[in-house]
Amino acid sequence: MTAAQVVEIRMPKFPECWESCGNCRTEDVFVQSVLVRAGESIGYDEPLIVLETGKTAMDIPSPRAGTIVEVKVDEGDLIDEGDLIALVAIG
């Protein structure tokens, strides 16, 4: 039996539209909701958190399937590209 590998899930690059016009990102981006907790199974592309930009809300999906080991963000936290969202055990 092989041990599960723990991988980091980080905030992906912000959508290109935020760079081109920026109208939907005029304020700080923060975590509106955390949709997972340690011990829960998560599937590929299932939402982990919901971001709030002041003008829009956006789900951030998981790029991996596995079991949440630890969530590294809380509701209300400011978040930026590359920030650690969660640790996930895969395999």
Side-chain angles (χ1 to χ4, degrees), residues 29-49:
V29 178
F30 66 92
V31 178
Q32 179 187 62
S33 304
V34 177
L35 306 176
V36 296
R37 68 182 91 175
E40 289 183 344
S41 293
I42 186 84
Y44 170 77
D45 217 26
E46 287 185 35
L48 296 167
I49 60 174

Side-chain angles (χ1 to χ4, degrees), residues 2-43:
T2 58
Q5 176 187 6
V6 176
V7 297
E8 295 180 339
I9 306 255
R10 294 193 170 269
M11 178 63 197
K13 180 175 171 55
F14 288 129
E16 288 185 22
C17 67
W18 288 7
E19 294 174 5
S20 61
C21 89
N23 287 337
C24 63
R25 188 181 177 212
T26 57
E27 301 173 5
D28 289 328
V29 178
F30 66 92
V31 178
Q32 179 187 62
S33 304
V34 177
L35 306 176
V36 296
R37 68 182 91 175
E40 289 183 344
S41 293
I42 186 84

